[in-house]
Amino acid sequence: MQRRHAMKRLGAAALLAAGGSLVQGCKPAAPLKIGFLGGLSGKFADLGIEERNAVLLTLERFNASTPLPSGPVQLLEGDDAQDPAQAQAALRKLAEQGVEVVIGPATSSIAMVVTPLAQELGLLLVSPTATTARLSGKTDALVRVCSDTAANGAAAARVHHAQLKPQRYAGLVDEANADYTQSWMAAYDQDAARAGMEKAVSLTMHSQRQPDHDALAAQLLAGRPELVTLCCSSVDAAALIQRLRQRDAQVPIAAAAWAATGRTIELAGRAAEGVVFEQYYDTDHQGAEFLAFMKTFAERFSQQPAFAAVLACDAARIVLASLQAGARRAGMREALVGREHAGIQGPFRMDAHGDVVRKLSFLRVQDGRFQSTGWAA
């Protein structure tokens, strides 16, 4: 009798244990997390904030329309403030918080600093706008949805020569983001020389050291250029455009894509009229999904989206599609490279090194807004 009761107790205990396992097995998985790393404060914050907003909007739409069994995907933000030490600390924190992947960084100089750390942490960076050619052709912890600066600078020189027809030009780069600006201008200079353009003035500045924009404008114009080409942020481009226009109302001015944000127009005001900007996406695209994104972004954030928003949307889309397909932290790179992805303007291909080639378009400021020139490269 005692043995029978003992067996019953053992059986009950086994059922309870099994039941506990079943309950544990049915427990919902923890929500997936993705990180964002970009400059959300400091002088270059317009770029990082625009990218963060685009990622947030894309994530919200994904969670609403494509829910995962684990629940809504969560976004954790890291502010690099365009400071190497802060960027590394922010990336470590995101890794500790258990993100599967990080969208960012926004700038090339920060990408150079954090890519080796991301490799060490086993965490993939998917950058919307870190274009430095120094990271091209590498199998590392960074992939991106933008072309590199060598391709962009060379294409810009060809288009400027063909459309603006300068014989002499002056160029300026910001050394605060030298991994982007120097490689862009080096490629620009090389193709400009091939086209027969002479570089009359070559200047550098460091935007974090209170540059004298008026003195820089005077130096740029001293060589009597037929085109002034700027490779710097929106804040510095706006200041330089104003000073250049005060000294010469007619000289053509062109700027690299880094300055192609609404912040340049806002700060430069009427002085920005007629300035030409390189752009990383087709501004004339009429696809319904693209137009809906641009409209929703403008309404949600009271800001006209530019290249940073479009590329950040693509970065978020490919990350979320990979999560939906089952990719997680350890396999995220393999899920993205060597594949064609659905971008907001159509498919694009990421090669085995995580590099992408995109066509450039060009904008001119008219009536306080970016308008397509119809030029392309």
Side-chain angles (χ1 to χ4, degrees):
M1 192 70 160
Q2 285 181 337
R3 184 177 179 184
R4 194 181 305 133
H5 285 309
M7 292 297 291
K8 283 183 179 179
R9 285 196 297 271
L10 284 172
L15 284 171
L16 282 170
S21 296
L22 287 171
V23 170
Q24 236 179 359
C26 294
K27 186 178 179 180
L32 298 177
K33 303 171 187 175
I34 62 174
F36 173 82
L37 180 66
L40 301 177
S41 62
K43 191 170 186 177
F44 307 148
D46 61 323
L47 188 69
I49 290 171
E50 182 170 327
E51 292 188 10
R52 187 274 315 277
N53 289 347
V55 172
L56 181 62
L57 181 60
T58 306
L59 178 60
E60 289 174 350
R61 296 175 72 182
F62 176 86
N63 282 333
S65 61
T66 322
L68 299 182
S70 56
V73 178
Q74 298 178 356
L75 179 66
L76 304 181
E77 299 175 10
D79 178 13
D80 64 42
Q82 196 61 22
D83 176 79
Q86 184 164 329
Q88 290 176 324
L91 183 60
R92 286 188 185 278
K93 184 175 180 180
L94 289 171
E96 290 166 1
Q97 291 173 310
V99 299
E100 304 292 338
V101 62
V102 172
I103 298 174
T107 63
S108 294
S109 59
I110 296 299
M112 291 296 297
V113 170
V114 298
T115 298
L117 176 59
Q119 189 84 28
E120 176 188 320
L121 296 171
L123 193 57
L124 185 70
L125 305 171
V126 182
S127 178
T129 52
T131 60
T132 178
R134 292 179 64 188
L135 290 171
S136 299
K138 296 181 182 296
T139 303
D140 54 21
L142 177 88
V143 302
R144 48 195 172 179
V145 298
C146 52
S147 303
D148 74 24
T149 47
N152 296 336
R158 292 193 296 271
V159 170
H160 291 170
H161 178 259
Q163 301 294 338
L164 301 173
K165 305 187 186 309
Q167 296 302 307
R168 294 163 58 80
Y169 71 101
L172 174 142
V173 299
D174 178 7
E175 290 187 323
N177 190 18
D179 291 299
Y180 163 68
T181 59
Q182 288 183 356
S183 55
W184 188 94
M185 190 62 78
Y188 185 98
D189 290 344
Q190 188 173 34
D191 266 64
R194 287 198 190 104
M197 293 164 59
E198 176 192 351
K199 193 167 190 180
V201 179
S202 180
L203 292 183
T204 61
M205 56 167 265
H206 198 296
S207 59
Q208 305 285 36
R209 297 174 186 165
Q210 299 183 328
D212 184 339
H213 295 106
D214 191 56
L216 289 167
Q219 292 174 65
L220 286 167
L221 295 173
R224 300 184 180 278
E226 297 168 1
L227 172 68
V228 175
T229 302
L230 306 174
C231 191
C232 55
S233 73
S234 58
V235 175
D236 292 292
L240 287 164
I241 289 166
Q242 286 182 326
R243 305 314 192 278
L244 288 165
R245 284 284 178 253
Q246 288 168 3
R247 292 174 174 274
D248 187 335
Q250 302 302 319
V251 65
I253 303 171
W258 188 13
T261 73
R263 186 78 170 142
T264 302
I265 299 176
E266 175 191 343
L267 294 175
R270 291 197 57 79
E273 291 291 307
V275 177
V276 172
F277 294 83
E278 154 200 329
Q279 191 58 277
Y280 293 149
Y281 68 97
D282 180 3
T283 56
D284 292 329
H285 190 77
Q286 295 300 304
E289 191 174 13
F290 169 72
L291 294 176
F293 170 79
M294 300 295 273
K295 181 175 183 292
T296 304
F297 186 101
E299 291 172 349
R300 170 77 176 274
F301 302 110
S302 301
Q303 171 194 356
Q304 289 298 321
F307 73 95
V310 175
L311 295 180
C313 175
D314 274 355
R317 284 167 63 99
I318 68 173
V319 162
L320 293 169
S322 296
L323 290 176
Q324 185 184 12
R328 297 297 180 262
R329 181 168 172 167
M332 188 60 66
R333 191 179 196 283
E334 289 69 24
L336 296 178
V337 300
R339 299 174 187 271
E340 187 172 271
H341 299 282
I344 198 169
Q345 290 194 338
F348 63 91
R349 184 167 184 80
M350 182 178 289
D351 70 17
H353 298 296
D355 297 326
V356 167
V357 175
R358 301 181 84 116
K359 291 183 178 179
L360 292 183
S361 60
F362 292 83
L363 308 177
R364 180 182 277 118
V365 179
Q366 295 178 352
D367 300 322
R369 295 176 65 87
F370 289 118
Q371 304 289 338
S372 174
T373 63
W375 311 340

